[in-house]
Amino acid sequence: MPSDLVKCVVWDLDDTVWEGILSEGPGVKLRPGVRELIETLDQRGVLQSIASKNDEKAALDELERLGIRHYFLVPHVSWQPKSALIESIAQRLDIGLDTMMFVDDSAFERAEVEFVHPQVRCVDSADTADLLDRPELTRPVTEDGRARRTLYLQAAERNAYEKSFAGPQVEFLRSLEMRLEVAVATPEDLERAAELTERTHQLNTTGLTFSKTELRELMDRPDQTLLVARLGDRFGAYGTIGLTLVGKTAEEWRIRLFLMSCRVMGRNVGGAILRYLAQSAEAAQVRLTADFKPTDVNKAMYTVYRLAGFKKTAVEEPVRVLEMAPGLPHTYPDYLALSLPR
């Protein structure tokens, strides 16, 4: 089954993005309304790419001439089957095939992709007039969403830098000059916070989802604390990459939701956030516990909890209850510059 949200729209070119066949003559023109579709999807934070059977240089040059080349990440232009191109795009962007949509005028090409990848949504280019109204592409425009394409380009630079880095992993992390900010959420954070609960599945401890309205109601409750985490480094800002919801009583703080963007995997950001919570709970003289609901994809978050010092104490269906062991030293990685709330 496809995901509820489409993260990437993959476009064919001939008779889809532009009118006519590029190989039959230069000077094609964009199909009516296509530029507006591409620009609006980009503003919403939907990634876009190309899967086209064409001459690569000619196709990319034409996209440049039309002024839209920059909207497309990892464009694939070759004579391979479209299903192979789409699978490669998903791998390059590190997203699931079930979060992809493919737009093509050819019934044959759509059928080939549907046969190989039934989880990919396939759309006839003649049926794109209502594309922006589809629920899987409808989301609020946020600062992080508008920057998503740039964030992926920065991530590609980081990955290339990491592959070229000669030395221990900890030295690589120091060289990134990372800056982590943990802050109490404000109303301006809520659109992105709600989006994170909907989009983040792998690095998510309980899978709870909240609307902007629900988060606002939680934020106003004295027994709940909603924290957001932002990260930056020498390559630029990652944006808001983490969300933590803590329920509080006089004796216990319970982490109900703890999630992070996959973009920060391997940076020990989650460990730093848990150390902050452990220190704060210790200062308040309360127990720090956490809910964890196992899924097929979130085992990494259980490891984050265990490495931070949490132990399983009970099962309260559908979650396991973990508790921070008392008396542990809570130190932060020296390669993270920290900004923390009091």
Side-chain angles (χ1 to χ4, degrees), residues 196-244:
L196 275 171
T197 70
E198 293 177 352
R199 293 175 62 96
T200 308
H201 305 288
Q202 187 174 359
L203 300 184
N204 187 326
T205 58
T206 51
L208 295 174
T209 60
F210 296 97
S211 68
K212 178 182 176 182
T213 300
E214 290 169 331
L215 288 174
R216 182 58 191 258
E217 291 172 353
L218 286 168
M219 219 176 67
D220 291 339
R221 286 174 50 179
D223 64 336
Q224 304 289 323
T225 295
L226 185 66
L227 300 171
V228 293
R230 304 179 184 91
L231 188 68
D233 67 12
R234 61 187 291 181
F235 293 97
Y238 292 72
T240 302
I241 49 79
L243 188 69
T244 309

Side-chain angles (χ1 to χ4, degrees), residues 13 17-18 28-30 34-36 38-39 42 48 58-72 149:
L13 292 177
V17 167
W18 52 57
V28 296
K29 64 179 181 178
L30 289 176
V34 164
R35 184 185 299 275
E36 291 75 15
I38 291 169
E39 290 175 348
D42 186 69
Q48 296 173 88
L60 297 182
D61 285 349
E62 197 65 19
L63 287 171
E64 196 72 52
R65 185 187 72 81
L66 293 167
I68 57 172
R69 166 68 182 86
H70 58 288
Y71 287 112
F72 302 109
R149 172 167 48 87

Side-chain angles (χ1 to χ4, degrees), residues 4 193-211 214-215 243-245 255-260 290-299 301-302 305 318-320:
D4 290 339
E195 182 185 45
L196 275 171
T197 70
E198 293 177 352
R199 293 175 62 96
T200 308
H201 305 288
Q202 187 174 359
L203 300 184
N204 187 326
T205 58
T206 51
L208 295 174
T209 60
F210 296 97
S211 68
E214 290 169 331
L215 288 174
L243 188 69
T244 309
L245 178 64
I255 303 173
R256 297 178 56 203
L257 173 66
F258 180 42
L259 63 81
M260 293 181 296
D291 292 340
F292 181 79
K293 183 179 179 181
T295 69
D296 293 335
V297 296
N298 73 347
K299 293 181 177 66
M301 291 302 279
Y302 189 66
Y305 270 141
V319 299
R320 301 174 186 173

